[in-house]
Amino acid sequence: MNIYANCLRYRVKKNGKAPIIIFLREKGKDRVKYTTSIEIEPQYFSNSIRRFTKGSGNMTLYNNRLDDILRRFQELAHKHPDFSAKELILRYDNKGSNRLFLEYARNLLVVDRRKLAHKTWKMYQHCLNLIERFDPEMQLVQINVKKLEMIREWMIFKNYSKTYQHHVLTTIKKYTRAAFKEKLIEMNPFDGFVIGGQSDSLEKEWNTESEIQQLKELLNKDLGQRLMSTLVHYLHSCYTGLRAVDERTFDPKENVEGNFIKITPSKTQNSSEIRLVIPLNQSAKELHPYLTKYKLKVKHARLGDDLKELMQMINCDKHITFHCARHTFAINSLIRGAPLEVVSKWLGHTQLKTTQIYARIVESLST
């Protein structure tokens, strides 16, 4: 059995990409094709050497994924030498559900690397590493409602936060849904399983106006370049809701027009369609000279340690990350009476229900 890959250049889709096909040719018979889920611009796949070439953006990663598919077909052909090409394809599809979940998910994560924001990509990595601690041999076919409940109970037993539990289950949902679309599994296990609304699953830490004022007073102390940089940008984010990735590139000369910040967020590659317009209060304006002097060059992993140190200085025992500045901005804006829809636009949320989490927090403060 001759098994090889090819790019169908004559089947270019509207997105400019063509499918990668696996051909199985039995001696003396016509070849049979199997369409993979991989698509690529035709110029980045060589049909002569049957490999992805430089320029594809993920050459090594795509080749690894292709090798995985070819290896599985070759293993099946070796185990079942009497099978026809069509029978091998049927067995490949039927056995697809026996693939290890982690292997399948990590292959997809590698291919999607350039489509995801770095923070999102790292989050998926961390979640998959946690799943590996639970069951490194878990197969796609084994994931059902009972298994998902077991994973959740295990995370509770291990004292993982509700936020982490939510992220892990959402990660499993993402890749089981992809497997279901590829027909590797017959049912989507999340059709009968509820992860839990974000209002119940996410813990939103934030700083009060009093705590922000205490942090501002630290500006008068000799904290050193690194801590001062983290402090200044965290405070600015508390007043504007900007993410750390946007704080790194924020320039008052370029991003401020009158009393407004006008900026294109950098969360995803598709964010160029979104333009945020955020009002500037006096406290945020007063920080702009500091922003120019103290650029945010601290590595993201270090920001959490810096903020922990800063919170200790004001005797705040909350678990504060840089993202908590967005929680702070949203909650304090709602407390001051800003409409929910307006705050949602300031934050760049695509769905109002995401912002409603903050509204429920504000409601709970008055009860």
Side-chain angles (χ1 to χ4, degrees):
M1 182 79 67
N2 189 13
I3 304 172
Y4 58 94
N6 211 323
C7 177
L8 294 191
R9 300 175 182 275
Y10 59 87
R11 281 181 52 187
V12 176
K13 299 182 179 180
K14 291 182 179 180
N15 61 6
K17 297 182 178 181
I20 300 300
I21 304 294
I22 303 298
F23 282 114
L24 295 86
R25 186 192 293 274
E26 299 175 73
K27 188 175 181 180
K29 296 183 179 181
D30 292 335
R31 62 185 184 179
V32 179
K33 67 181 180 181
Y34 173 83
T35 304
T36 72
S37 61
I38 308 174
E39 295 180 345
I40 195 71
E41 291 86 347
Q43 65 269 29
Y44 298 132
F45 188 89
S46 171
N47 283 336
S48 59
I49 61 173
R50 309 192 190 288
R51 305 292 287 172
F52 293 93
T53 59
K54 290 183 178 180
S56 59
N58 284 309
M59 182 185 71
T60 303
L61 309 178
Y62 278 128
N63 281 325
N64 288 342
R65 190 175 177 195
L66 182 61
D67 288 342
D68 178 59
I69 297 173
L70 291 170
R71 176 176 56 81
R72 291 182 179 279
F73 269 115
Q74 289 162 356
E75 287 175 353
L76 282 173
H78 180 72
K79 289 180 181 179
H80 306 282
D82 55 329
F83 274 22
S84 68
K86 289 183 178 180
E87 286 174 327
L88 283 177
I89 290 174
L90 287 173
R91 179 57 63 93
Y92 178 89
D93 283 336
N94 290 337
K95 292 297 183 180
S97 57
N98 291 335
R99 294 183 63 177
L100 297 181
F101 169 79
L102 287 169
E103 181 183 27
Y104 175 76
R106 283 170 172 156
N107 279 341
L108 290 186
L109 183 59
V110 162
V111 173
D112 290 340
R113 174 64 185 91
R114 292 177 179 269
K115 300 178 183 178
L116 299 172
H118 180 73
K119 185 178 178 181
T120 305
W121 180 69
K122 292 293 290 185
M123 184 271 290
Y124 284 133
Q125 271 196 329
H126 287 310
C127 290
L128 293 175
N129 289 341
L130 185 145
I131 295 167
E132 186 172 21
R133 290 197 288 274
F134 171 76
D135 184 358
E137 301 298 323
M138 183 171 65
Q139 298 174 355
L140 283 168
V141 72
Q142 294 176 324
I143 301 176
N144 51 29
V145 174
K146 184 178 180 180
K147 176 69 76 171
L148 294 171
E149 290 289 0
M150 289 173 60
I151 294 171
R152 177 150 59 190
E153 290 174 6
W154 177 79
M155 289 190 291
I156 293 172
F157 176 76
K158 291 291 186 179
N159 292 320
Y160 288 108
S161 69
K162 290 183 178 179
T163 301
Y164 206 178
Q165 294 174 37
H166 178 89
H167 286 322
V168 169
L169 291 170
T170 301
T171 299
I172 298 174
K173 182 177 181 179
K174 172 184 172 67
Y175 293 112
T176 52
R177 186 189 309 178
F180 178 67
K181 288 182 178 179
E182 288 190 45
K183 299 182 179 179
L184 297 178
I185 52 177
E186 295 181 0
M187 295 180 61
N188 183 349
F190 284 86
D191 286 345
F193 179 85
V194 179
I195 292 177
Q198 287 191 334
S199 59
D200 299 324
S201 301
L202 297 182
E203 301 158 348
K204 302 292 187 185
E205 291 283 24
W206 59 288
N207 289 117
T208 63
E209 293 282 7
S210 173
E211 290 167 344
I212 293 175
Q213 183 58 40
Q214 292 179 67
L215 287 171
K216 284 182 66 176
E217 292 173 3
L218 295 179
L219 294 173
N220 300 319
K221 294 188 175 182
D222 183 16
L223 299 178
Q225 180 78 23
R226 175 177 53 78
L227 269 183
M228 185 64 79
S229 170
T230 301
L231 172 62
V232 168
H233 286 274
Y234 180 77
L235 282 172
H236 190 253
S237 182
C238 286
Y239 292 128
T240 62
L242 292 178
R243 296 182 176 89
V245 65
D246 294 319
E247 281 288 337
R248 292 185 187 281
T249 59
F250 180 81
D251 185 344
K253 293 181 180 179
E254 295 183 5
N255 300 121
V256 175
E257 295 182 18
N259 293 320
F260 293 90
I261 288 176
K262 295 186 178 181
I263 190 170
T264 300
S266 306
K267 185 177 180 182
T268 64
Q269 290 184 339
N270 297 326
S271 63
S272 58
E273 302 173 3
I274 303 173
R275 180 78 168 171
L276 300 183
V277 179
I278 308 167
L280 268 176
N281 59 25
Q282 187 58 36
S283 296
K285 289 181 179 179
E286 291 173 357
L287 290 171
H288 286 177
Y290 290 94
L291 296 180
T292 303
K293 182 178 180 180
Y294 299 101
K295 296 292 185 181
L296 188 59
K297 297 181 180 179
V298 182
K299 290 184 178 180
H300 190 81
R302 178 68 199 184
L303 286 176
D305 294 334
D306 288 353
L307 288 169
K308 182 178 180 179
E309 188 174 343
L310 291 168
M311 294 304 146
Q312 289 174 344
M313 291 181 184
I314 64 170
N315 296 317
C316 175
D317 60 359
K318 297 175 182 177
H319 177 63
I320 297 295
T321 65
F322 200 98
H323 192 73
C324 292
R326 280 172 64 80
H327 303 335
T328 299
F329 170 74
I331 293 170
N332 285 329
S333 295
L334 291 170
I335 290 175
R336 289 192 290 268
L340 182 67
E341 295 79 4
V342 175
V343 175
S344 185
K345 289 183 178 179
W346 290 343
L347 291 170
H349 288 164
T350 56
Q351 295 181 327
L352 188 61
K353 68 179 182 180
T354 306
T355 322
Q356 286 173 340
I357 300 169
Y358 302 114
R360 286 191 280 272
I361 293 174
V362 173
E363 289 174 5
S364 69
L365 295 176
S366 60
T367 58

